[in-house]
Amino acid sequence: SIIAAMELDEVTRRREEFNKIGLEAVRQGKVAAVLLAGGMGTRLGSDEPKCMYDIGLTHPVYIMERLVSNLMDVVNEAGGIFVPFFIMTSDKNHDKTVSFMKKMNYFGYDPSMVFFFKQEMAPAADYNGKVYMETKSRISTSPNGNGGWFLSIKRAGLIDKVHELGIEWLNTF
């Protein structure tokens, strides 16, 4: 069978309709946001979690701050209804990400609607399937990739929270 898809021009043409449907789903508590924030800012020249990277030109503006600001636009447009915000971290950045969010007062987001979970780790291997060793007795691991986010949120017990809250749609970014 063929999976139907819309082309960009149809999405653009029906933008107002889709916006109305989406905001209604937010107001009914059927939508949550899932941020895949397990990465470090290495490619940006930082040893800190990517979400802590300052992108401001004239004053500090953090990547996480902009993401929360975008989410707050939806909250405000939906009449103050906060969207549950699930944030996937990793073993490498979990503590720093959680501490940063607390220090920054969640950038104005309702902390009771923020849920952190760690990305699962997988054995690291080369393209020939040879497993890398961290030490002689320990296999090297790395994050299981963006494709593993659902397994990670499930193993963290947060799918139960999704069902408890009546969420039907997970906007993953």
Side-chain angles (χ1 to χ4, degrees):
S1 69
I2 296 174
I3 297 174
M6 279 188 236
E7 293 188 11
L8 190 54
D9 62 339
E10 182 180 358
V11 173
T12 302
R13 194 171 52 255
R14 297 176 63 189
R15 180 182 181 95
E16 201 171 304
E17 173 191 353
F18 294 146
N19 193 52
K20 183 179 176 183
I21 292 167
L23 286 172
E24 187 55 35
V26 169
R27 287 185 191 106
Q28 293 174 1
K30 294 181 178 181
V31 178
V34 182
L35 174 61
L36 308 182
M40 300 297 284
T42 312
R43 286 178 290 188
L44 300 171
S46 171
D47 292 330
E48 299 295 336
K50 198 181 309 173
C51 69
M52 293 173 61
Y53 190 75
D54 183 356
I55 57 173
L57 297 176
T58 59
H59 64 280
V61 177
Y62 304 98
I63 289 176
M64 181 66 85
E65 181 178 7
R66 289 302 313 140
L67 294 170
V68 171
S69 177
N70 292 345
L71 195 50
M72 283 300 296
D73 288 345
V74 173
V75 168
N76 293 329
E77 201 171 344
I81 305 295
F82 279 86
V83 173
F85 188 22
F86 296 91
I87 301 173
M88 184 178 75
T89 62
S90 67
D91 283 342
K92 294 179 191 231
N93 76 1
H94 181 81
D95 293 338
K96 283 187 174 184
T97 301
V98 173
S99 295
F100 178 67
M101 288 294 283
K102 286 179 182 174
K103 176 184 168 193
M104 303 309 270
N105 295 315
Y106 297 84
F107 296 103
Y109 211 77
D110 180 352
S112 73
M113 296 298 277
V114 178
F115 307 92
F116 294 96
F117 66 100
K118 284 187 189 178
Q119 183 173 18
E120 295 280 315
M121 301 298 280
D126 67 16
Y127 288 109
N128 296 317
K130 182 180 177 197
V131 175
Y132 291 116
M133 300 299 291
E134 199 164 302
T135 66
K136 285 187 183 241
S137 60
R138 182 178 171 149
I139 294 173
S140 180
T141 60
S142 60
N144 67 356
N146 287 347
W149 75 266
F150 189 81
L151 180 61
S152 297
I153 198 171
K154 183 176 189 226
R155 287 196 176 150
L158 290 173
I159 291 302
D160 293 337
K161 178 58 80 175
V162 167
H163 292 300
E164 174 189 317
L165 294 172
I167 296 165
E168 296 179 15
W169 304 97
L170 298 171
N171 180 8
T172 306
F173 58 102

